[in-house]
Amino acid sequence: MSLTVGSKGWISSKDLVWEECEILDNNQTQLKVKTNGGVQTVEKSKCKFFPRNPSGLESTDDFLSLPFLDEPNILHSLRVRYLKGIVYSFTGKILLAVNPWRNVPIYSTEIISQYASSSNQAPHIYAVACIAYQSCASQSKDQCVLISGESGSGKTESTKHVLKVLTVLGAGERRVGGGEATLEEQILHANPVLEAFGNAKTLRNNNSSRFGKWIEIIFEKASAAKGVIAGARVRTYLLEKSRVVQQVSGERNYHIFYQLCTAVAAGGSHAELVKTLGLDCATKFSCTKTTLDGSRDDTAEFEATMRGMAGLRFSKHDSASLLAAVAAVMHLSNVEVTEVTDFDGNPCASVDTKDVSLQHAARLLQVSADELKDGLCTRMIVTGKESTRKPENREKAMLSRDALCKALYSKMFDRIVVLINNSLSEGM
């Protein structure tokens, strides 16, 4: 490590905040450095110092060519490239992506063709996807593209780009179930459906995936260097169920809740489907009070969701059942739970069976209002062959209501994944 006087580098003495510096003096225990904040003397044992890379190399495409490959130099090179409008960088086979937070004209079928033919070798998500496809097709070996990062880093969009490349390069003529859509088109139809039911607006991201997913694309060999998509599977895990009943300030519930409310107001081609749901403006429901108007075009996105369901050949019954489940959750969130006392003076939860929200929820769940009330306000105790119901207090009844909302939404989401996989696996 170069600690000679005049050397330039990066120093961090607290909170891992890196500052550009120049060494003014160096002894056995201390460093005297000049930073943007002025001259300071720091204890060597209490700071970290790394030499800075030559300025002519800082914007290189592949960071493995940098003399010093460490945290501050990587961060600085990412910043240098970002300020030049370059959002992708390589570190060997690893692609680093910085979310540009704006539309950039670097994604198209023509650019995919450039990477597929190796005429363009600049760092890009297309390059990673093309290498994975070509290795799978030519070597007949399974490939994996792992996309990770913090919230708002662009994982959802990166996944879409990888799928786009694979469906373009692996396109065939296979039609699923005798329909008009190709298998590649159906894979892309799954995106808006999963996003509607599994993504939400957060403080850092307007379209944050609130679940993990593993997507498998199955190819069959068409030639020595060509593989054609034969099917696909989606696996999901860790859906954020707590969001269904509660969100922090500045965040929204899942997109589908707001899409349904705007669809009711807009009418349009799906008016017949949504008019029986008993919905109104999103602000009138406890689980969607935070609407954040303008953050999403919910009307247009509902149309995309319904096109996705149709493209995946969801039956009208399945589509209607999924939307009914969402509406039932919304009505359940509005059910008022009060408290009365029994003959012994014990507090007991109570729900008015004439409550409009309870009646709507019961109708959509295809149970009676009395049955739903009993399910919320009492618990079943089974002893041997006998069973009895014990009244709950208001607090526990409200917890039961929220638990039902979360369980219902989770089961509905699982059902969506099953329907998607059924559609994508036909003919395999």
Side-chain angles (χ1 to χ4, degrees), residues 323-369:
L323 298 183
V326 175
V329 169
M330 299 182 74
H331 289 298
L332 277 172
S333 74
N334 272 10
V335 171
E336 292 289 339
V337 181
T338 59
E339 196 165 72
V340 297
T341 56
D342 61 14
F343 293 111
D344 297 323
N346 298 314
C348 300
S350 179
V351 172
D352 185 358
T353 55
K354 295 182 180 180
D355 184 323
V356 175
S357 296
L358 184 77
Q359 291 183 345
H360 277 308
R363 175 176 56 81
L364 293 167
L365 295 175
Q366 299 182 19
V367 297
S368 70

Side-chain angles (χ1 to χ4, degrees), residues 3-260:
L3 292 176
T4 58
V5 174
S7 297
K8 293 184 178 181
W10 307 98
I11 193 167
S12 174
S13 57
K14 59 179 180 178
D15 301 328
L16 290 180
V17 175
W18 296 101
E19 294 183 277
E20 185 179 357
C21 70
E22 179 181 352
I23 297 178
L24 301 180
D25 193 19
N26 174 27
N27 59 42
Q28 289 185 343
T29 59
Q30 294 180 324
L31 276 178
K32 184 178 181 181
V33 297
K34 180 181 180 182
T35 66
N36 291 334
V39 177
Q40 56 180 303
T41 300
V42 296
E43 297 291 331
K44 287 185 177 180
S45 62
K46 297 181 179 179
C47 73
K48 292 183 179 180
F49 176 87
F50 290 98
R52 177 176 171 175
N53 285 312
S55 57
L57 299 176
E58 290 175 337
S59 62
T60 182
D61 281 350
D62 191 340
F63 292 169
L64 286 186
S65 63
L66 294 173
F68 304 109
L69 189 61
D70 46 60
E71 181 179 324
N73 279 301
I74 290 175
L75 292 174
H76 179 63
S77 289
L78 287 172
R79 178 174 60 184
V80 170
R81 291 173 63 79
Y82 185 81
L83 293 176
K84 291 182 177 181
I86 306 171
V87 298
Y88 292 116
S89 307
F90 276 130
T91 300
K93 293 184 177 181
I94 300 172
L95 180 71
L96 304 178
V98 181
N99 193 334
W101 294 107
R102 57 186 173 85
N103 290 323
V104 286
I106 58 174
Y107 306 105
S108 67
T109 304
E110 291 73 22
I111 296 177
I112 291 177
S113 299
Q114 293 175 14
Y115 281 94
S117 63
S118 300
S119 61
N120 190 338
Q121 297 185 347
H124 200 292
I125 189 68
Y126 287 172
V128 174
C130 284
I131 291 172
Y133 169 79
Q134 291 163 356
S135 298
C136 184
S138 62
Q139 301 173 20
S140 297
K141 291 184 178 180
D142 293 346
Q143 304 292 313
C144 176
V145 178
L146 177 63
I147 301 173
S148 65
E150 63 179 8
S151 179
S153 60
K155 298 184 295 299
T156 297
E157 295 303 313
S158 294
T159 301
K160 291 180 186 177
H161 292 312
V162 171
L163 290 175
K164 179 66 176 178
V165 171
L166 297 179
T167 54
V168 168
L169 299 184
E173 299 300 323
R174 178 174 300 199
R175 308 279 167 173
V176 179
E180 297 181 358
T182 64
L183 183 55
E184 295 76 32
E185 290 170 338
Q186 287 201 314
I187 292 173
L188 297 179
H189 279 313
N191 274 329
V193 177
L194 287 173
E195 287 186 14
F197 290 88
N199 287 26
K201 163 75 171 65
T202 66
L203 293 174
R204 304 180 65 181
N205 187 354
N206 276 359
N207 189 32
S208 177
S209 294
R210 309 315 300 164
F211 67 102
K213 59 179 175 282
W214 176 269
I215 304 173
E216 295 181 12
I217 309 293
I218 297 92
F219 294 90
E220 60 183 12
K221 203 168 185 64
S223 65
K226 172 73 173 178
V228 176
I229 293 178
R233 283 190 294 265
V234 179
R235 300 179 185 177
T236 63
Y237 51 93
L238 298 178
L239 177 71
E240 185 186 22
K241 292 182 284 188
S242 60
R243 181 172 295 272
V244 175
V245 295
Q246 187 176 17
Q247 310 90 43
V248 302
S249 177
E251 297 192 354
R252 297 204 320 174
N253 209 326
Y254 291 104
H255 297 325
I256 188 63
F257 290 101
Y258 307 92
Q259 292 179 13
L260 268 182

